[in-house]
Amino acid sequence: VIDSRKPFEHKVGTFQRSINPEINNFREFPKYLKKLNKNKNIAMFCTGGIRCEKASAFLQKKWFKNVYQLKGGILNYLKTINKKQSLWRGECFVFDNRVSLDANLKKGSYSLCHACRMPLTNADKKREEYIEGEACHLCYSIKTEEQRKRYRMRNNQIKLREKNARIWNNKKTQEHQTNYK
């Protein structure tokens, strides 16, 4: 069973006993294929089914005989499987503001580093190298002070926007309540 997602996605969550090829883009996939037996059963999965669809078509084109894929990907599996029978472990990385989803398809516990865009656990955010909005343990040593300054400015703008949105929403709520008294 091959997890056709990127290594960082695999680390967030995957199926029991799955193999991640440790490739960061599809161009590296043919090199990985050379390690596989063309006569063995090969099952693949990805988040929504698109990447493994592409990978399985490629395998079949290269004369692999028994290629299977998880229709609809991990998200469909989590949506349809009985939770007690699930072989899924961890959370599923998604490419939107939710960052990850738990087994019930609810927002997970991961967040993103604003500098390198890698998923972070709560424990990662407690590390010395973590600076909110600037860097994490994965990118702290490779980001320049100029880059971190830009990230700091962006993070301050995000906080200011959130604060202003809360103030505006509170005013609107108070106006709405006043109009109904």
Side-chain angles (χ1 to χ4, degrees):
V1 177
I2 298 174
D3 184 340
S4 62
R5 301 171 306 147
K6 294 181 177 187
F8 75 86
E9 295 173 86
H10 177 83
K11 283 174 67 175
V12 170
T14 194
F15 287 104
Q16 289 177 350
R17 298 188 301 272
S18 69
I19 299 165
N20 184 257
E22 299 284 325
I23 58 175
N24 287 304
N25 59 57
F26 197 73
R27 290 183 307 274
E28 299 171 20
F29 194 59
K31 183 179 174 183
Y32 175 75
L33 285 180
K34 293 177 182 173
K35 301 175 185 178
L36 302 177
N37 181 338
K38 289 185 178 188
N39 295 312
K40 271 194 151 188
N41 290 340
I42 297 175
M44 290 184 290
F45 65 92
C46 60
T47 306
I50 296 169
R51 284 181 278 183
C52 54
E53 177 83 32
K54 184 178 175 182
S56 64
F58 185 81
L59 286 171
Q60 290 169 340
K61 186 178 173 184
K62 294 295 182 183
W63 305 104
F64 281 78
K65 297 190 182 343
N66 304 308
V67 180
Y68 306 92
Q69 63 184 1
L70 182 59
K71 193 137 182 94
I74 299 160
L75 298 178
N76 187 54
Y77 175 86
L78 293 174
K79 188 165 104 177
T80 58
I81 192 73
N82 178 316
K83 302 302 176 236
K84 290 180 180 176
Q85 296 174 323
S86 179
L87 299 174
W88 182 258
R89 298 296 174 258
E91 297 180 13
C92 181
F93 181 84
V94 289
F95 292 93
D96 62 32
N97 289 336
R98 297 172 296 177
V99 184
S100 67
L101 301 176
D102 64 18
N104 297 310
L105 299 175
K106 304 288 184 222
K107 185 177 182 337
S109 62
Y110 283 78
S111 58
L112 279 185
C113 172
H114 288 286
C116 67
R117 312 300 293 163
M118 286 289 127
L120 301 173
T121 64
N122 289 328
D124 292 335
K125 294 191 294 186
K126 292 177 182 170
R127 292 177 66 143
E128 186 178 322
E129 303 95 333
Y130 178 73
I131 304 169
E132 182 185 354
E134 288 183 49
C136 70
H137 68 286
L138 299 169
C139 67
Y140 182 84
S141 63
I142 60 173
K143 297 296 179 184
T144 66
E145 182 52 40
E146 183 60 34
Q147 288 172 311
R148 288 206 300 264
K149 180 181 175 185
R150 286 196 320 267
Y151 297 143
R152 206 170 20 255
M153 287 172 46
R154 180 181 64 188
N155 196 48
N156 288 337
Q157 289 298 314
I158 290 168
K159 286 181 178 182
L160 184 61
R161 183 181 69 218
E162 289 170 352
K163 178 183 174 187
N164 288 338
R166 280 193 304 274
I167 291 169
W168 188 84
N169 286 333
N170 285 340
K171 280 184 178 180
K172 288 295 176 191
T173 301
Q174 288 171 354
E175 288 174 12
H176 183 74
Q177 290 171 346
T178 302
N179 290 337
Y180 282 100
K181 286 186 178 179

